[in-house]
Amino acid sequence: MKGKVIRIIVVILILICLPTVRAAEECSYTNKADAIKQAKNVTAAYEIKQRDDGTYYVTITIYNITDDLFVEVYSTKGLKKNSEKTSDSLYIISADTLDAEGNPTGIYTIEDNDNTVIKKYTINVRTLKYDCTEVLRRFSIVKPKYNEISQIEECKYYDVQDYQYCQEWITSQFNLTAAGVAKQIQKQREINRTKMTTICYSCNLDDEYNAWLQRFNKIKLYIIIGVSIGIVVDLVVIIFMIKKIREDRIV
């Protein structure tokens, strides 16, 4: 807690002293455009991780925090507007991203161990290089929560594993109980069975057509062979008759 307070005080002092220390770095149109360009490079992502003891936690990682930027991060419960905060604002500068050798990485990771609540992390990016105090970039990332209902017996069926209520981690809230979800799954499985019946019926039609086509091709082949044999026989007969006529004339 003391470390957070010290960091906030440092950031406030930097902002207060910024116009004096960097008088040449005023918030001109060009400088602000440059600051916005840098701020746009700041991104974030979450990752679900598991410890050796089987427990889960979620990390929120922020990237591209340069010496010229500082980032404010806070989380709120749920996705509704004006949701209550679940954490105090955290202020991050490049010096907070040092690796083991003391070099800034520009990457800062927050570990969230609350798997029972969906949270929205809001990230505000400001500049330290120019005397521009407003937020240059604001974006958010939604941290999922563990869905205990995904462990009910109905969610173990193969055809509903992708069903929204059976997802192990969810980023949207639903108000159904386990019994309500089981009923919804039964309806979904009935829909899936209807689809499969339709598909199988279509498959049978295709099989019948393919069988008929094979019979037709066989009959056509037999006809072609029969006609070919008939033509050969006719040619032999014609040749024999021509030969016979010529022999009779010689006599």
Side-chain angles (χ1 to χ4, degrees):
M1 183 66 183
K2 183 184 290 185
K4 290 183 178 179
V5 173
I6 293 174
R7 188 179 292 114
I8 293 172
I9 293 173
V10 170
V11 171
I12 292 173
L13 289 175
I14 290 174
L15 290 175
I16 293 173
C17 298
L18 191 60
T20 304
V21 176
R22 296 182 176 179
E25 301 292 323
E26 75 278 1
C27 190
S28 65
Y29 178 82
T30 302
N31 289 345
K32 186 174 181 179
D34 176 60
I36 292 174
K37 183 178 179 180
Q38 293 183 55
K40 285 183 177 180
N41 292 326
V42 178
T43 59
Y46 77 82
E47 185 177 0
I48 301 168
K49 296 185 177 182
Q50 187 176 22
R51 298 185 181 89
D52 293 337
D53 61 1
T55 59
Y56 290 94
Y57 65 100
V58 180
T59 59
I60 308 296
T61 304
I62 305 169
Y63 301 91
N64 302 320
I65 304 173
T66 66
D67 293 336
D68 297 333
L69 299 172
F70 80 91
V71 175
E72 177 195 10
V73 185
Y74 63 88
S75 62
T76 52
K77 183 178 179 180
L79 304 178
K80 295 181 179 179
K81 292 183 178 180
N82 303 320
S83 297
E84 62 176 305
K85 278 190 175 185
T86 59
S87 69
D88 295 328
S89 291
L90 174 65
Y91 296 92
I92 308 165
I93 58 177
S94 179
D96 296 317
T97 68
L98 303 182
D99 59 16
E101 298 177 355
N103 300 314
T105 63
I107 301 173
Y108 190 90
T109 299
I110 302 168
E111 185 176 306
D112 194 320
N113 294 291
D114 187 356
N115 298 326
T116 63
V117 177
I118 297 172
K119 295 181 184 178
K120 182 173 75 171
Y121 277 82
T122 300
I123 301 165
N124 296 324
V125 185
R126 293 184 173 89
T127 180
L128 289 172
K129 184 176 181 180
Y130 305 113
D131 188 16
C132 305
T133 57
E134 69 267 30
V135 175
L136 302 175
R137 170 166 161 74
R138 176 182 287 116
F139 64 100
S140 61
I141 183 169
V142 178
K143 181 203 76 72
K145 78 167 187 176
Y146 183 75
N147 178 24
E148 293 183 350
I149 293 179
S150 66
Q151 299 304 309
I152 65 176
E153 191 64 29
E154 285 78 6
C155 280
K156 299 186 185 302
Y157 295 114
Y158 175 79
D159 57 342
V160 294
Q161 286 181 357
D162 293 331
Y163 196 35
Q164 59 174 332
Y165 299 120
C166 292
Q167 297 298 305
E168 194 171 14
W169 293 86
I170 55 175
T171 55
S172 59
Q173 189 68 43
F174 52 84
N175 297 320
L176 292 176
T177 62
V181 169
K183 185 179 293 186
Q184 290 294 326
I185 289 174
Q186 291 173 5
K187 290 181 180 178
Q188 183 65 32
R189 296 198 73 214
E190 189 64 36
I191 293 172
N192 292 344
R193 280 194 290 269
T194 302
K195 288 182 179 178
M196 288 302 297
T197 302
T198 304
I199 292 172
C200 290
Y201 175 72
S202 300
C203 291
N204 290 335
L205 290 178
D206 289 340
D207 291 340
E208 291 177 5
Y209 173 76
N210 290 331
W212 175 85
L213 188 61
Q214 289 179 356
R215 289 196 299 271
F216 175 77
N217 288 332
K218 284 183 180 180
I219 294 172
K220 185 171 67 173
L221 179 61
Y222 294 151
I223 292 173
I224 292 173
I225 292 173
V227 172
S228 299
I229 292 174
I231 292 173
V232 171
V233 171
D234 288 342
L235 288 174
V236 171
V237 171
I238 292 171
I239 293 171
F240 177 78
M241 291 180 63
I242 292 174
K243 185 177 180 181
K244 180 67 176 173
I245 292 172
R246 285 180 178 175
E247 289 177 353
D248 290 343
R249 285 181 179 178
I250 294 174
V251 174

